[in-house]
Short mmCIF file of all heavy atoms in Angstrom, two decimals:
data_model
loop_
_atom_site.label_atom_id
_atom_site.label_comp_id
_atom_site.label_asym_id
_atom_site.label_seq_id
_atom_site.Cartn_x
_atom_site.Cartn_y
_atom_site.Cartn_z
N GLU O 58 -17.32 -207.06 -13.96
CA GLU O 58 -16.07 -206.36 -13.85
C GLU O 58 -15.87 -205.82 -12.43
O GLU O 58 -14.75 -205.79 -11.91
CB GLU O 58 -16.06 -205.14 -14.84
CG GLU O 58 -14.74 -204.41 -14.82
CD GLU O 58 -14.79 -203.26 -15.81
OE1 GLU O 58 -15.53 -203.33 -16.79
OE2 GLU O 58 -14.01 -202.28 -15.58
N HIS O 59 -16.94 -205.36 -11.80
CA HIS O 59 -16.87 -204.80 -10.45
C HIS O 59 -17.86 -205.51 -9.53
O HIS O 59 -18.95 -204.94 -9.28
CB HIS O 59 -17.18 -203.29 -10.48
CG HIS O 59 -16.19 -202.52 -11.33
ND1 HIS O 59 -14.93 -202.30 -10.96
CD2 HIS O 59 -16.38 -201.92 -12.49
CE1 HIS O 59 -14.31 -201.59 -11.89
NE2 HIS O 59 -15.18 -201.37 -12.83
N ASP O 60 -17.50 -206.65 -9.00
CA ASP O 60 -18.42 -207.35 -8.12
C ASP O 60 -18.63 -206.58 -6.81
O ASP O 60 -19.63 -206.84 -6.14
CB ASP O 60 -17.86 -208.75 -7.82
CG ASP O 60 -17.93 -209.64 -9.05
OD1 ASP O 60 -18.76 -209.39 -9.95
OD2 ASP O 60 -17.14 -210.60 -9.06
N TRP O 61 -17.72 -205.72 -6.44
CA TRP O 61 -17.81 -204.97 -5.17
C TRP O 61 -18.73 -203.78 -5.29
O TRP O 61 -19.03 -203.16 -4.29
CB TRP O 61 -16.46 -204.54 -4.73
CG TRP O 61 -15.69 -203.80 -5.75
CD1 TRP O 61 -14.88 -204.34 -6.71
CD2 TRP O 61 -15.74 -202.40 -6.03
NE1 TRP O 61 -14.35 -203.34 -7.52
CE2 TRP O 61 -14.91 -202.16 -7.16
CE3 TRP O 61 -16.40 -201.31 -5.47
CZ2 TRP O 61 -14.72 -200.86 -7.68
CZ3 TRP O 61 -16.25 -200.07 -6.01
CH2 TRP O 61 -15.37 -199.86 -7.09
N MET O 62 -19.27 -203.51 -6.46
CA MET O 62 -20.12 -202.36 -6.69
C MET O 62 -21.57 -202.74 -6.68
O MET O 62 -21.94 -203.71 -7.35
CB MET O 62 -19.75 -201.65 -7.99
CG MET O 62 -20.49 -200.34 -8.15
SD MET O 62 -19.92 -199.40 -9.54
CE MET O 62 -18.55 -198.61 -8.77
N ASP O 63 -22.38 -202.03 -5.91
CA ASP O 63 -23.81 -202.28 -5.83
C ASP O 63 -24.49 -201.15 -6.63
O ASP O 63 -24.22 -199.98 -6.40
CB ASP O 63 -24.23 -202.23 -4.37
CG ASP O 63 -25.68 -202.45 -4.20
OD1 ASP O 63 -26.46 -201.45 -4.35
OD2 ASP O 63 -26.11 -203.56 -3.90
N SER O 64 -25.34 -201.53 -7.57
CA SER O 64 -25.94 -200.53 -8.40
C SER O 64 -26.81 -199.50 -7.68
O SER O 64 -26.99 -198.36 -8.11
CB SER O 64 -26.79 -201.20 -9.53
OG SER O 64 -27.83 -201.97 -8.97
N ASP O 65 -27.42 -199.90 -6.59
CA ASP O 65 -28.28 -198.97 -5.82
C ASP O 65 -27.47 -198.17 -4.83
O ASP O 65 -27.73 -196.99 -4.67
CB ASP O 65 -29.35 -199.79 -5.04
CG ASP O 65 -30.29 -200.47 -6.02
OD1 ASP O 65 -30.57 -199.86 -7.07
OD2 ASP O 65 -30.82 -201.52 -5.63
N ALA O 66 -26.51 -198.77 -4.14
CA ALA O 66 -25.78 -198.08 -3.12
C ALA O 66 -24.45 -197.50 -3.55
O ALA O 66 -23.83 -196.70 -2.85
CB ALA O 66 -25.53 -199.03 -1.89
N GLY O 67 -23.98 -197.88 -4.72
CA GLY O 67 -22.65 -197.43 -5.17
C GLY O 67 -21.58 -198.33 -4.60
O GLY O 67 -21.86 -199.47 -4.16
N PRO O 68 -20.36 -197.88 -4.59
CA PRO O 68 -19.27 -198.69 -4.10
C PRO O 68 -19.48 -199.06 -2.59
O PRO O 68 -19.87 -198.23 -1.82
CB PRO O 68 -17.99 -197.86 -4.26
CG PRO O 68 -18.40 -196.72 -5.17
CD PRO O 68 -19.87 -196.59 -5.04
N VAL O 69 -19.22 -200.29 -2.27
CA VAL O 69 -19.34 -200.76 -0.92
C VAL O 69 -17.96 -201.10 -0.32
O VAL O 69 -17.30 -201.90 -0.87
CB VAL O 69 -20.31 -201.99 -0.83
CG1 VAL O 69 -20.42 -202.51 0.58
CG2 VAL O 69 -21.62 -201.67 -1.43
N VAL O 70 -17.62 -200.44 0.74
CA VAL O 70 -16.35 -200.75 1.45
C VAL O 70 -16.66 -200.96 2.87
O VAL O 70 -17.30 -200.13 3.52
CB VAL O 70 -15.35 -199.54 1.31
CG1 VAL O 70 -14.06 -199.87 2.06
CG2 VAL O 70 -15.06 -199.29 -0.15
N ARG O 71 -16.27 -202.06 3.40
CA ARG O 71 -16.56 -202.41 4.81
C ARG O 71 -15.85 -201.42 5.70
O ARG O 71 -14.73 -200.96 5.39
CB ARG O 71 -16.11 -203.83 5.12
CG ARG O 71 -16.91 -204.80 4.34
CD ARG O 71 -16.77 -206.19 5.04
NE ARG O 71 -17.51 -207.19 4.35
CZ ARG O 71 -18.75 -207.49 4.62
NH1 ARG O 71 -19.41 -206.88 5.58
NH2 ARG O 71 -19.38 -208.44 3.95
N PRO O 72 -16.49 -201.02 6.81
CA PRO O 72 -15.89 -200.00 7.72
C PRO O 72 -14.47 -200.33 8.21
O PRO O 72 -13.60 -199.42 8.23
CB PRO O 72 -16.87 -199.94 8.86
CG PRO O 72 -18.15 -200.38 8.27
CD PRO O 72 -17.84 -201.38 7.23
N TYR O 73 -14.17 -201.59 8.46
CA TYR O 73 -12.88 -201.91 8.97
C TYR O 73 -11.77 -201.72 7.93
O TYR O 73 -10.60 -201.57 8.27
CB TYR O 73 -12.85 -203.33 9.57
CG TYR O 73 -13.09 -204.44 8.60
CD1 TYR O 73 -12.15 -204.90 7.71
CD2 TYR O 73 -14.34 -205.08 8.61
CE1 TYR O 73 -12.39 -205.95 6.86
CE2 TYR O 73 -14.61 -206.10 7.72
CZ TYR O 73 -13.63 -206.56 6.86
OH TYR O 73 -13.88 -207.55 5.99
N ALA O 74 -12.12 -201.67 6.67
CA ALA O 74 -11.16 -201.39 5.65
C ALA O 74 -10.72 -199.93 5.73
O ALA O 74 -9.55 -199.60 5.48
CB ALA O 74 -11.73 -201.73 4.26
N VAL O 75 -11.62 -199.05 6.01
CA VAL O 75 -11.33 -197.66 6.15
C VAL O 75 -10.44 -197.38 7.37
O VAL O 75 -9.55 -196.54 7.31
CB VAL O 75 -12.62 -196.76 6.23
CG1 VAL O 75 -12.30 -195.31 6.50
CG2 VAL O 75 -13.46 -196.93 4.96
N THR O 76 -10.70 -198.14 8.44
CA THR O 76 -9.91 -197.89 9.72
C THR O 76 -8.75 -198.82 9.83
O THR O 76 -8.07 -198.80 10.90
CB THR O 76 -10.86 -198.08 10.92
OG1 THR O 76 -11.29 -199.45 10.93
CG2 THR O 76 -12.00 -197.13 10.88
N GLY O 77 -8.44 -199.62 8.84
CA GLY O 77 -7.32 -200.56 8.91
C GLY O 77 -7.60 -201.66 9.94
O GLY O 77 -6.61 -202.15 10.57
N GLY O 78 -8.81 -202.03 10.12
CA GLY O 78 -9.15 -203.07 11.06
C GLY O 78 -9.33 -202.67 12.51
O GLY O 78 -9.61 -203.50 13.36
N ARG O 79 -9.13 -201.40 12.81
CA ARG O 79 -9.24 -200.93 14.14
C ARG O 79 -10.65 -200.59 14.50
O ARG O 79 -11.38 -200.05 13.70
CB ARG O 79 -8.35 -199.68 14.39
CG ARG O 79 -6.84 -200.03 14.18
CD ARG O 79 -5.96 -198.83 14.20
NE ARG O 79 -6.37 -198.01 13.01
CZ ARG O 79 -6.36 -196.70 12.96
NH1 ARG O 79 -6.01 -195.99 13.99
NH2 ARG O 79 -6.66 -196.04 11.89
N ALA O 80 -11.07 -200.93 15.74
CA ALA O 80 -12.40 -200.64 16.20
C ALA O 80 -12.46 -199.53 17.25
O ALA O 80 -13.53 -199.00 17.56
CB ALA O 80 -13.07 -201.89 16.77
N LYS O 81 -11.31 -199.17 17.82
CA LYS O 81 -11.26 -198.14 18.85
C LYS O 81 -10.22 -197.10 18.43
O LYS O 81 -9.19 -197.38 17.83
CB LYS O 81 -10.84 -198.77 20.22
CG LYS O 81 -11.82 -199.69 20.77
CD LYS O 81 -11.47 -200.22 22.11
CE LYS O 81 -12.56 -201.11 22.66
NZ LYS O 81 -12.21 -201.66 23.97
N PRO O 82 -10.52 -195.81 18.75
CA PRO O 82 -9.55 -194.77 18.41
C PRO O 82 -8.24 -194.88 19.21
O PRO O 82 -8.23 -195.40 20.34
CB PRO O 82 -10.29 -193.49 18.81
CG PRO O 82 -11.39 -193.89 19.75
CD PRO O 82 -11.68 -195.32 19.45
N ALA O 83 -7.13 -194.48 18.62
CA ALA O 83 -5.86 -194.50 19.25
C ALA O 83 -5.83 -193.60 20.50
O ALA O 83 -5.24 -194.03 21.56
CB ALA O 83 -4.73 -194.11 18.29
N VAL O 84 -6.44 -192.48 20.41
CA VAL O 84 -6.59 -191.58 21.55
C VAL O 84 -7.93 -190.96 21.57
O VAL O 84 -8.60 -190.91 20.51
CB VAL O 84 -5.51 -190.39 21.48
CG1 VAL O 84 -4.13 -190.94 21.63
CG2 VAL O 84 -5.67 -189.60 20.20
N GLY O 85 -8.41 -190.53 22.73
CA GLY O 85 -9.71 -189.84 22.84
C GLY O 85 -10.86 -190.86 22.90
O GLY O 85 -10.76 -191.95 22.35
N ALA O 86 -11.96 -190.46 23.58
CA ALA O 86 -13.10 -191.27 23.70
C ALA O 86 -14.22 -190.81 22.75
O ALA O 86 -15.01 -191.61 22.31
CB ALA O 86 -13.62 -191.25 25.13
N PHE O 87 -14.31 -189.56 22.44
CA PHE O 87 -15.24 -188.97 21.46
C PHE O 87 -16.71 -189.29 21.82
O PHE O 87 -17.35 -190.07 21.16
CB PHE O 87 -14.90 -189.44 20.05
CG PHE O 87 -13.52 -188.97 19.60
CD1 PHE O 87 -12.45 -189.88 19.59
CD2 PHE O 87 -13.30 -187.66 19.27
CE1 PHE O 87 -11.19 -189.47 19.24
CE2 PHE O 87 -12.04 -187.24 18.92
CZ PHE O 87 -10.97 -188.16 18.86
N ASP O 88 -17.16 -188.64 22.83
CA ASP O 88 -18.54 -188.70 23.22
C ASP O 88 -19.40 -188.20 22.07
O ASP O 88 -18.91 -187.37 21.25
CB ASP O 88 -18.73 -187.75 24.43
CG ASP O 88 -20.10 -187.94 25.09
OD1 ASP O 88 -20.23 -188.80 25.89
OD2 ASP O 88 -21.00 -187.15 24.66
N LEU O 89 -20.61 -188.69 21.93
CA LEU O 89 -21.49 -188.25 20.81
C LEU O 89 -21.69 -186.73 20.73
O LEU O 89 -21.84 -186.19 19.66
CB LEU O 89 -22.90 -188.90 20.93
CG LEU O 89 -22.95 -190.37 20.60
CD1 LEU O 89 -24.37 -190.89 20.93
CD2 LEU O 89 -22.67 -190.58 19.16
N VAL O 90 -21.72 -186.08 21.90
CA VAL O 90 -21.95 -184.63 21.89
C VAL O 90 -20.67 -183.83 21.98
O VAL O 90 -20.73 -182.62 22.09
CB VAL O 90 -22.96 -184.22 22.99
CG1 VAL O 90 -24.34 -184.80 22.74
CG2 VAL O 90 -22.45 -184.58 24.37
N ALA O 91 -19.50 -184.50 21.96
CA ALA O 91 -18.26 -183.74 21.96
C ALA O 91 -18.16 -182.98 20.69
O ALA O 91 -18.57 -183.42 19.61
CB ALA O 91 -17.08 -184.72 22.07
N PHE O 92 -17.54 -181.80 20.76
CA PHE O 92 -17.38 -180.95 19.58
C PHE O 92 -15.98 -181.13 19.06
O PHE O 92 -14.99 -181.23 19.81
CB PHE O 92 -17.62 -179.47 19.91
CG PHE O 92 -19.08 -179.14 19.89
CD1 PHE O 92 -19.79 -179.04 21.07
CD2 PHE O 92 -19.72 -178.86 18.69
CE1 PHE O 92 -21.11 -178.71 21.06
CE2 PHE O 92 -21.06 -178.51 18.70
CZ PHE O 92 -21.77 -178.45 19.87
N VAL O 93 -15.84 -181.20 17.73
CA VAL O 93 -14.58 -181.33 17.07
C VAL O 93 -14.40 -180.17 16.13
O VAL O 93 -15.33 -179.75 15.50
CB VAL O 93 -14.55 -182.63 16.23
CG1 VAL O 93 -13.26 -182.80 15.53
CG2 VAL O 93 -14.82 -183.86 17.13
N VAL O 94 -13.19 -179.58 16.12
CA VAL O 94 -12.87 -178.50 15.21
C VAL O 94 -11.49 -178.74 14.69
O VAL O 94 -10.57 -179.17 15.38
CB VAL O 94 -13.00 -177.11 15.92
CG1 VAL O 94 -11.98 -176.94 17.03
CG2 VAL O 94 -12.86 -175.99 14.90
N SER O 95 -11.31 -178.48 13.36
CA SER O 95 -10.01 -178.72 12.74
C SER O 95 -9.05 -177.57 13.03
O SER O 95 -9.42 -176.41 13.24
CB SER O 95 -10.15 -178.91 11.25
OG SER O 95 -10.70 -177.74 10.67
N ARG O 96 -7.74 -177.91 13.08
CA ARG O 96 -6.72 -176.93 13.30
C ARG O 96 -6.06 -176.57 11.98
O ARG O 96 -5.32 -175.58 11.86
CB ARG O 96 -5.66 -177.50 14.23
CG ARG O 96 -6.24 -177.82 15.58
CD ARG O 96 -5.24 -178.42 16.53
NE ARG O 96 -4.53 -177.31 17.14
CZ ARG O 96 -3.38 -177.44 17.81
NH1 ARG O 96 -2.90 -178.59 17.97
NH2 ARG O 96 -2.86 -176.39 18.37
N VAL O 97 -6.29 -177.32 10.94
CA VAL O 97 -5.77 -177.11 9.59
C VAL O 97 -6.86 -177.37 8.56
O VAL O 97 -7.90 -177.96 8.91
CB VAL O 97 -4.56 -178.03 9.27
CG1 VAL O 97 -3.38 -177.75 10.20
CG2 VAL O 97 -4.92 -179.48 9.39
N ASP O 98 -6.62 -177.02 7.30
CA ASP O 98 -7.67 -177.28 6.29
C ASP O 98 -7.53 -178.67 5.66
O ASP O 98 -8.50 -179.14 5.02
CB ASP O 98 -7.68 -176.22 5.23
CG ASP O 98 -6.47 -176.23 4.36
OD1 ASP O 98 -5.52 -177.06 4.56
OD2 ASP O 98 -6.36 -175.43 3.41
N GLY O 99 -6.46 -179.36 5.80
CA GLY O 99 -6.29 -180.72 5.35
C GLY O 99 -5.80 -180.85 3.91
O GLY O 99 -5.37 -181.94 3.48
N SER O 100 -5.84 -179.79 3.14
CA SER O 100 -5.40 -179.89 1.75
C SER O 100 -3.94 -180.08 1.61
O SER O 100 -3.44 -180.64 0.67
CB SER O 100 -5.87 -178.63 0.94
OG SER O 100 -5.27 -177.48 1.54
N GLY O 101 -3.18 -179.64 2.59
CA GLY O 101 -1.71 -179.79 2.55
C GLY O 101 -1.26 -181.03 3.25
O GLY O 101 -0.06 -181.17 3.61
N GLU O 102 -2.12 -181.97 3.47
CA GLU O 102 -1.81 -183.22 4.18
C GLU O 102 -2.02 -184.38 3.19
O GLU O 102 -3.02 -185.11 3.24
CB GLU O 102 -2.71 -183.39 5.44
CG GLU O 102 -2.66 -182.24 6.39
CD GLU O 102 -1.38 -182.10 7.12
OE1 GLU O 102 -0.66 -183.14 7.32
OE2 GLU O 102 -1.08 -181.01 7.58
#
Side-chain angles (χ1 to χ4, degrees):
E58 182 180 336
H59 300 290
D60 290 337
W61 52 269
M62 185 171 279
D63 180 277
S64 62
D65 294 328
V69 177
V70 178
R71 296 198 179 270
Y73 62 79
V75 175
T76 63
R79 296 171 295 145
K81 294 184 179 180
V84 294
F87 300 103
D88 190 87
L89 285 175
V90 295
F92 279 97
V93 179
V94 64
S95 61
R96 300 179 84 192
V97 297
D98 69 358
S100 60
E102 306 289 335

